[in-house]
Amino acid sequence: MKKFLVAIMAVLFSAPSFAQYSSGGFSLSESTVYYGIRLGMNISTLTGDIDMGSKVGLNVAPIIGLRVSDTTPVFLESGLYFSGLGAKKGKSSIALNYLEIPVLIKYGIQATDDIAVLPFVGPTFRYGLFGGKWKTEGEGKVNSFGGDRFKRADMGIKLGCGAEYNKLYLELGYEFGIINIAGWKAANGIDDGSSHNGNFFVNLGVNF
């Protein structure tokens, strides 16, 4: 994993050598399509019945964006993310690995000749992947999804702000789940019981 992260960081920070100090991976004054990659860190939590703290995870994705207005710098961006969420407390942890597709609306603001600032908001759709584990101290591991654990399908709202400089991109934001993913509610026929994802993220990337 460390070698993988080092290789990705080398690609990101070598970008100015081929960026030619353009105005970025997209122009705020022209219609365009742009592509990119994102690599970042999640600091996730679970609200509701789960009494645990935050857990650090990885997110990585290819993305694509499209300008949707000829008169204003409004962009629509999506991607295919692997996103590691969950919660942790002591030796107990819950790992929720998702395939995630956000649909973000971005508004471009030209801060300087080389820097664009892009606040964004939009829904994000997740589906739980195999490999997520629920580890309880003294009781071993079980799969986090299915049965009386967590539902695989989830949806949230993602908001934040990004900045681009010479094709290099940095963003930070927060996403909060709007679907109750507590599987034990239906499995045990109870009326209460809830759990929602929450996640603060910081991503680096390159736009082409």
Side-chain angles (χ1 to χ4, degrees):
M1 178 61 74
K2 289 183 179 179
K3 292 182 178 179
F4 171 74
L5 293 176
V6 169
I8 294 294
M9 294 298 289
V11 171
L12 296 182
F13 286 100
S14 67
S17 65
F18 57 78
Q20 301 300 316
Y21 297 96
S22 68
S23 60
F26 58 86
S27 169
L28 296 183
S29 60
E30 299 175 1
S31 297
T32 187
V33 175
Y34 63 93
Y35 305 88
I37 56 173
R38 301 286 184 263
L39 173 67
M41 177 180 68
N42 293 332
I43 304 176
S44 61
T45 58
L46 286 165
T47 61
D49 295 339
I50 303 297
D51 180 21
M52 289 185 176
S54 60
K55 180 180 181 295
V56 176
L58 172 73
N59 76 78
V60 60
I63 63 96
I64 183 171
L66 170 69
R67 180 166 179 156
V68 296
S69 172
D70 293 330
T71 58
T72 55
V74 176
F75 300 83
L76 188 66
E77 183 181 293
S78 188
L80 188 62
Y81 284 75
F82 168 83
S83 187
L85 305 181
K88 185 176 182 180
K89 183 177 182 179
K91 295 183 179 180
S92 299
S93 64
I94 299 172
L96 301 173
N97 297 326
Y98 287 100
L99 185 67
E100 181 173 342
I101 301 177
V103 182
L104 304 177
I105 298 175
K106 294 191 168 187
Y107 184 84
I109 302 167
Q110 195 76 45
T112 70
D113 289 342
D114 295 320
I115 298 176
V117 177
L118 297 111
F120 58 84
V121 65
T124 187
F125 305 91
R126 308 187 191 98
Y127 190 78
L129 302 174
F130 295 106
K133 297 296 182 183
W134 189 334
K135 179 182 178 182
T136 304
E137 186 175 1
E139 296 184 11
K141 298 179 180 179
V142 296
N143 196 303
S144 298
F145 297 109
D148 60 352
R149 295 178 291 278
F150 293 95
K151 302 173 185 176
R152 292 186 183 274
D154 188 24
M155 178 181 176
I157 301 296
K158 195 169 187 175
L159 55 89
C161 188
E164 184 181 285
Y165 172 73
N166 296 329
K167 295 186 184 292
L168 290 178
Y169 180 79
L170 171 67
E171 69 178 10
L172 57 86
Y174 189 81
E175 50 187 335
F176 54 92
I178 60 176
I179 291 180
N180 183 2
I181 59 171
W184 54 87
K185 179 177 180 178
N188 295 298
I190 58 178
D191 294 329
D192 55 357
S194 67
S195 187
H196 294 78
N197 278 307
N199 180 45
F200 172 78
F201 60 90
V202 180
N203 292 340
L204 286 172
V206 179
N207 289 334
F208 303 102

